[in-house]
Amino acid sequence: MIFTVASDTDTLAQALADRLIVEAQASWAHARPLRIALSGGSTPRRLYEELGQRAATLPWQALEIFFSDERAVGPEDSASNYRLAHLPWLSKAPPGTLIHRIPGELGAQAAADVYEDILQRAAGAGRDLDIIFLGVGTDGHIASLFPGAAFTTTRLAQAVAATPDRQARVTLTLPALVAARRRILLAEGASKADALRASLAPTATTPLARLLARAQVEFWLDRVAAQALCPPP
Ligand code: 6PG
């Protein structure tokens, strides 16, 4: 496991934006866009704002953008993960930028089928995804892979049924997360420290633990969340 710890949210967002730009430029030097899947939730909001502030100088042609998951809603819906990234950042993309939105407005299963086809064609069956960005829920969920849910082993994108407290969604599957070249998990705050600590326990069975058992994850944390990994003496 690789850890990058920053003192606060702004510093973390700036450092991750710096790294993303450097990696996109390095990829483009080999005539290949950096294929990234963006996370939803609130944690990456500051990163998207930071990237939006740098829109004028971003190597847009060196980025091909996918999504780690999406709610079964349209792009204008306040719950949309696409909208989360679009408002501060992707709305500034020049024409021709490769952005693969998950069409949540079709409903979870139809959107998952569309996204499966996109991933098969544009991301080399997942193997060409360079970086998948993830958050983590307090229950140890990642993307929309929730504890206790049935995880497909044969698809790259799957529908996730609605529950009384959660909209239906589309998510990258565990095989898709594992097939990607890298995974970056962004976490901040005390509630995520507990979630990380629980998922790093040897007997953990959370979705994050199931990923960690199969693939390397790079953790980008603020100081508080990092305490999970190095509890104060
Ligand atoms: C989503 C995300 C989800 C999120 C975690 C953490 O669609 O909500 O994909 O997995 O990353 O729930 O959310 P916060 O960043 O809001 O804590």
Side-chain angles (χ1 to χ4, degrees), residues 96-172:
T97 303
L98 292 173
I99 301 173
H100 303 286
R101 185 180 68 84
I102 302 173
E105 65 275 14
L106 302 178
Q109 189 55 58
D113 293 342
V114 168
Y115 198 41
E116 178 79 20
D117 180 56
I118 290 170
L119 292 166
Q120 291 290 350
R121 284 185 297 103
R127 288 182 304 277
D128 290 346
L129 279 177
D130 294 297
I131 301 175
I132 297 180
F133 287 97
L134 297 168
V136 60
T138 52
D139 59 359
H141 79 256
I142 47 177
S144 289
L145 300 173
F146 293 97
F151 291 1
T152 176
T153 57
T154 57
R155 286 175 59 111
L156 299 171
Q158 73 175 81
V160 179
T163 64
D165 58 357
R166 205 173 54 218
Q167 287 164 304
R169 295 153 171 248
V170 178
T171 186
L172 288 179

Side-chain angles (χ1 to χ4, degrees), residues 168-216:
R169 295 153 171 248
V170 178
T171 186
L172 288 179
T173 62
L174 201 54
L177 301 185
V178 173
R181 292 192 173 93
R182 294 165 58 196
R183 291 139 295 272
I184 287 181
L185 189 146
L186 196 54
E188 300 171 353
S191 69
K192 300 306 172 68
D194 296 337
L196 291 174
R197 192 178 298 117
S199 291
L200 290 170
T203 57
T205 58
T206 64
L208 175 53
R210 292 174 66 178
L211 175 61
L212 288 169
R214 293 166 175 82
Q216 177 82 266

Side-chain angles (χ1 to χ4, degrees), residues 46-131:
R46 185 66 196 82
L47 171 64
Y48 301 154
E49 290 169 352
E50 182 67 29
L51 290 165
Q53 289 162 13
R54 306 186 192 194
T57 57
L58 275 184
W60 288 99
Q61 76 288 353
L63 288 169
E64 184 167 358
I65 293 168
F66 299 77
F67 290 83
S68 302
D69 66 340
E70 182 57 280
R71 290 79 183 279
V73 297
E76 305 300 329
D77 191 296
S78 61
S80 164
N81 288 340
Y82 170 83
R83 182 175 181 271
L84 175 78
H86 182 263
L87 283 181
W89 173 32
L90 300 184
S91 55
K92 301 174 180 175
T97 303
L98 292 173
I99 301 173
H100 303 286
R101 185 180 68 84
I102 302 173
E105 65 275 14
L106 302 178
Q109 189 55 58
D113 293 342
V114 168
Y115 198 41
E116 178 79 20
D117 180 56
I118 290 170
L119 292 166
Q120 291 290 350
R121 284 185 297 103
R127 288 182 304 277
D128 290 346
L129 279 177
D130 294 297
I131 301 175

